[in-house]
Amino acid sequence: MIAVDFGLKKIGIAQYINGIILPLTPIIRKNRNDAAKKLDDLLIAKNTKILIIGIANEEMQRRIKHFITLLKFAGEIKFVDETLSSKEAEEILQDRNNSHIMRKNGTIDSISAMIIMQRYLKSN
């Protein structure tokens, strides 16, 4: 299973494997098509059967649903409320010396994807 936290600049990614949620390297968005190809490639490489997508407000829902049409992914897609997941990720990192770097390089987005995965697992 892969969870994603969509952003306009970065897509945070987390994987659930052997009972552990791991953050993966985020996708830095150049454009929608490039980001969709990179996500498709990752989903194939990880042999993903279920894609968990965090959704918050209506505007992002519209953007995410359009983005999904660009994917070739044929597995199951599940949506999870991502409300405040980025804030939770920020709180996890607030005491770290290099938190500003983690915000800039997208690590915080992948931590948010981990939180989205946790929410999905708790709800099932």
Side-chain angles (χ1 to χ4, degrees):
M1 270 190 293
I2 296 286
V4 294
D5 175 38
F6 281 97
L8 297 176
K9 296 182 181 180
K10 298 175 219 79
I11 299 173
I13 303 170
Q15 181 178 19
Y16 182 70
I17 186 164
N18 297 327
I20 300 170
I21 302 171
L22 300 170
L24 301 180
T25 303
I27 294 171
I28 308 302
R29 292 180 63 150
K30 294 178 185 170
N31 59 57
R32 279 187 285 224
N33 292 329
D34 178 66
K37 177 164 180 7
K38 287 179 180 176
L39 182 56
D40 265 333
D41 291 347
L42 174 81
L43 296 172
I44 290 167
K46 299 291 185 182
N47 194 28
T48 306
K49 304 288 187 243
I50 300 173
L51 176 61
I52 314 300
I53 298 175
I55 294 221
N57 63 46
E58 286 184 36
E59 175 61 21
M60 283 307 287
Q61 285 181 24
R62 186 184 64 74
R63 289 174 184 260
I64 290 168
K65 288 183 178 179
H66 174 71
F67 184 88
I68 290 169
T69 66
L70 303 175
L71 297 175
K72 295 176 184 168
F73 179 69
E76 202 171 343
I77 297 176
K78 302 285 187 174
F79 296 98
V80 174
D81 180 10
E82 72 164 7
T83 304
L84 301 176
S85 63
S86 294
K87 185 171 174 33
E88 284 182 48
E90 290 274 351
E91 289 172 3
I92 290 169
L93 294 178
Q94 84 183 97
D95 294 331
R96 306 222 188 250
N97 291 335
N98 58 352
S99 63
H100 66 286
I101 294 169
M102 292 178 161
R103 284 180 192 87
K104 190 172 183 176
N105 70 14
T107 300
I108 194 147
D109 301 283
S110 289
I111 291 171
S112 184
M114 290 176 62
I115 292 166
I116 291 165
M117 180 70 78
Q118 285 174 334
R119 289 179 184 179
Y120 172 76
L121 292 170
K122 283 182 184 177
S123 70
N124 288 303

